[in-house]
């Protein structure tokens, strides 16, 4: 297991694991921030990259996020995990990116970790073909409403097929190297599961204990 220098942000030898979080306008605020925060606490070097080369991305509920890089500038770098947030219309905007889809396919083929939460499993990971060997998958199981539009509960989950489990908050598939989760309320558990897969039990438990996650 590679050392992630777990210590809730105190990196003794520098981070040895890297995480890429691609973002677009309208991604879910809590999911993005939880990923950034928890993965950094786990000792990963996190890069937030904008698909549209924008320096500032406005998230679903209005949070303005200054990104680290343009996606195209980091697309060919090696990443230990590519973690995809959801949200409306953020996940839809990410789903439109063929470079992201192709990069996720390469990540999966080489055995790197792929992660997705909320609508990202159905709209981004499923079309990329990276979920095909998973016995069970999950994603946002709820009806979704915005001021402009609404979708019934099965509109997105049926895209995940018969392996969808509406009761699974977080799925961590060590064999496939994939982590999936449901909604903003599971975002911290989701990010900790990524830390556990990449950095081991001690790093994950340290964050759980600090956050009082039970």
């Amino acid at each position: 297991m590679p050392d992630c220098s777990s210590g809730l942000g105190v990196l003794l030898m520098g981070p040895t694991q890297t995480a890429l979080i691609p973002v677009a306008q309208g991604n879910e605020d809590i999911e993005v921030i939880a990923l950034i925060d928890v993965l950094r606490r786990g000792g990963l070097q996190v890069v937030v990259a904008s698909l549209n080369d924008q320096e500032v991305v406005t998230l679903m509920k209005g949070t303005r996020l200054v990104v680290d890089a343009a996606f195209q500038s980091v697309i060919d770098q090696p990443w230990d995990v590519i973690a995809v947030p959801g949200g409306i219309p953020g996940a839809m905007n990410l789903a439109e990116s063929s470079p992201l889809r192709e990069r996720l396919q390469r990540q999966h083929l080489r055995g790197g970790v792929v992660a997705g939460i909320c609508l990202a499993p159905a709209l981004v990971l499923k079309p990329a073909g990276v979920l095909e060997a998973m016995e069970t998958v999950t994603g946002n199981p709820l009806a979704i409403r915005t001021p402009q539009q609404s979708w019934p509960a099965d509109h997105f989950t049926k895209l995940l097929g018969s392996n969808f489990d509406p009761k699974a908050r977080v799925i961590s598939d060590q064999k496939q190297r994939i982590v999936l989760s449901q909604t903003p309320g599971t975002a911290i558990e989701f990010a900790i599961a990524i830390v556990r897969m990449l950095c081991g039990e001690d790093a994950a438990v340290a964050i759980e204990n600090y956050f009082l996650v039970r």
Side-chain angles (χ1 to χ4, degrees):
M1 177 69 65
D3 178 23
C4 291
S5 301
S6 60
L8 295 176
V10 180
L11 305 182
L12 301 179
M13 299 298 292
T16 58
Q17 300 277 285
T18 57
L20 177 64
I21 303 174
V23 294
Q25 299 291 336
N27 276 129
E28 179 23 79
D29 307 47
I30 291 175
E31 294 167 4
V32 174
I33 300 304
L35 277 169
I36 295 169
D37 182 286
V38 173
L39 295 184
R40 285 180 175 160
R41 288 176 192 269
L44 283 86
Q45 178 182 338
V46 177
V47 171
V48 183
S50 166
L51 259 67
N52 295 325
D53 299 340
Q54 296 165 312
E55 294 183 1
V56 177
V57 171
T58 302
L59 302 179
M60 184 176 174
K61 295 301 181 182
T63 303
R64 290 169 57 81
L65 181 69
V66 179
V67 304
D68 301 308
F71 181 72
Q72 288 293 341
S73 71
V74 298
I75 190 172
D76 292 322
Q77 293 183 23
W79 299 99
D80 294 294
V81 58
I82 300 177
V84 186
I88 292 287
M92 293 174 172
N93 291 333
L94 293 176
E96 292 177 356
S97 172
S98 57
L100 173 59
R101 185 164 54 251
E102 292 164 4
R103 184 63 183 84
L104 289 168
Q105 292 167 349
R106 287 190 281 131
Q107 178 78 359
H108 183 56
L109 285 173
R110 76 167 186 82
V113 177
V114 172
I117 185 172
C118 192
L119 296 180
L123 296 182
V124 183
L125 303 190
K126 181 69 173 181
V130 303
L131 304 183
E132 297 308 310
M134 291 189 70
E135 295 181 2
T136 307
V137 297
T138 196
N140 193 327
L142 304 176
I144 297 173
R145 296 177 180 83
T146 70
Q148 294 78 30
Q149 195 171 353
S150 63
W151 297 265
D154 66 347
H155 181 85
F156 298 105
T157 58
K158 67 183 179 182
L159 300 176
L160 292 168
S162 60
N163 293 342
F164 170 67
D165 182 356
K167 296 181 180 179
R169 289 173 61 87
V170 178
I171 292 175
S172 183
D173 189 323
Q174 182 64 45
K175 183 178 180 180
Q176 294 300 318
R177 306 286 282 168
I178 291 175
V179 182
L180 305 176
S181 192
Q182 287 184 331
T183 69
T186 65
I188 290 178
E189 299 167 60
F190 169 63
I192 291 175
I194 297 171
V195 171
R196 180 171 277 108
M197 183 173 287
L198 283 172
C199 305
E201 187 68 14
D202 289 347
V205 169
I207 300 171
E208 288 173 338
N209 289 341
Y210 186 76
F211 283 178
L212 297 180
V213 173
R214 296 291 184 265

